[in-house]
Amino acid sequence: MKELEISLTELLASRDRRWSHEKNLMAHYPELTLVCLTVVMPGKVKRNASSLVVATAAAKAVRSAFDDDMRLWEEKDLATGFEAYCMVKLGAEDVKRRCCEIEESHPLGRLFDVDVIGPGGVPVSRRQLGLEPRKCLICGNEARLCMRRHTHTQEELQARIKEMISDYVQRL
């Protein structure tokens, strides 16, 4: 598989396209809750064999969690990373709780980024549900703080991700 580096401009443009797509989905399904799934993959390469292992596992977990309540499922396999969109006929807080459970319990869950947006375009946060912030892959501190402070090098993060994926694949 050829690994393509993406630029910051491409990454930012992909976020804009994702947000636009989310708005379109919410306009078409205003009574449903939107789940947007992406893969945590630091660095300039967002699509590679490792990210596809994570994407496959994440998609399977999310689809299983909402199987009976899902009204739409879309996947996009892009150079800027895997994206999946799911429209669910459950309340946004219930959906967020399930997604957080997936992120916490799945062996690769820390590499899943599952955002939940309720009817009216209102995102649901972990804090709203009284849940702890996500933990750093390496040290267990709050991930957001480590990211802001650049506590760990990209090489350290990539090595930890590689280890997590290798452990997961060996268990399959």
Side-chain angles (χ1 to χ4, degrees):
M1 165 180 297
K2 186 175 181 183
E3 295 184 0
L4 297 174
E5 288 189 4
I6 63 165
S7 67
L8 179 59
T9 302
E10 290 169 312
L11 180 64
L12 295 175
S14 75
R15 288 181 183 169
D16 289 343
R17 280 191 304 274
R18 190 164 49 248
W19 176 238
S20 178
H21 188 61
E22 290 171 0
K23 288 194 304 189
N24 286 335
L25 288 172
M26 289 183 291
H28 281 86
Y29 301 94
E31 72 286 359
L32 300 179
T33 298
L34 169 65
V35 176
C36 180
L37 168 66
T38 57
V39 171
V40 175
M41 193 60 53
K44 293 182 178 184
V45 176
K46 301 297 182 188
R47 186 186 181 283
N48 56 28
S50 294
S51 71
L52 291 178
V53 169
V54 177
T56 300
K60 182 178 179 183
V62 170
R63 287 181 69 110
S64 294
F66 300 110
D67 192 36
D68 294 335
D69 299 302
M70 193 173 11
R71 294 298 168 257
L72 172 85
W73 178 265
E74 287 182 1
E75 290 182 17
K76 296 182 179 188
D77 183 14
L78 307 168
T80 52
F82 174 84
E83 301 172 2
Y85 303 88
C86 179
M87 299 303 298
V88 182
K89 70 168 191 170
L90 296 171
E93 287 190 0
D94 183 32
V95 171
K96 183 66 174 183
R97 279 190 217 319
R98 288 189 195 187
C99 290
C100 289
E101 175 62 29
I102 292 167
E103 290 175 340
E104 298 299 325
S105 65
H106 193 282
L108 295 178
R110 185 56 194 86
L111 304 178
F112 306 167
D113 187 8
V114 189
D115 295 329
V116 175
I117 303 172
V122 180
V124 181
S125 70
R126 287 172 162 266
R127 181 181 293 162
Q128 284 174 257
L129 302 179
L131 300 173
E132 300 253 336
R134 293 190 80 178
K135 303 290 183 193
C136 173
L137 290 171
I138 296 173
C139 69
N141 289 329
E142 188 177 330
R144 186 169 294 165
L145 294 177
C146 287
M147 285 175 27
R148 278 190 201 137
R149 296 175 182 158
H150 302 285
T151 306
H152 312 288
T153 67
Q154 206 162 70
E155 291 78 18
E156 290 173 308
L157 289 168
Q158 289 169 338
R160 176 65 182 125
I161 289 169
K162 184 177 181 179
E163 177 185 9
M164 290 171 70
I165 294 168
S166 177
D167 290 348
Y168 175 75
V169 169
Q170 287 177 4
R171 285 188 240 144
L172 291 181

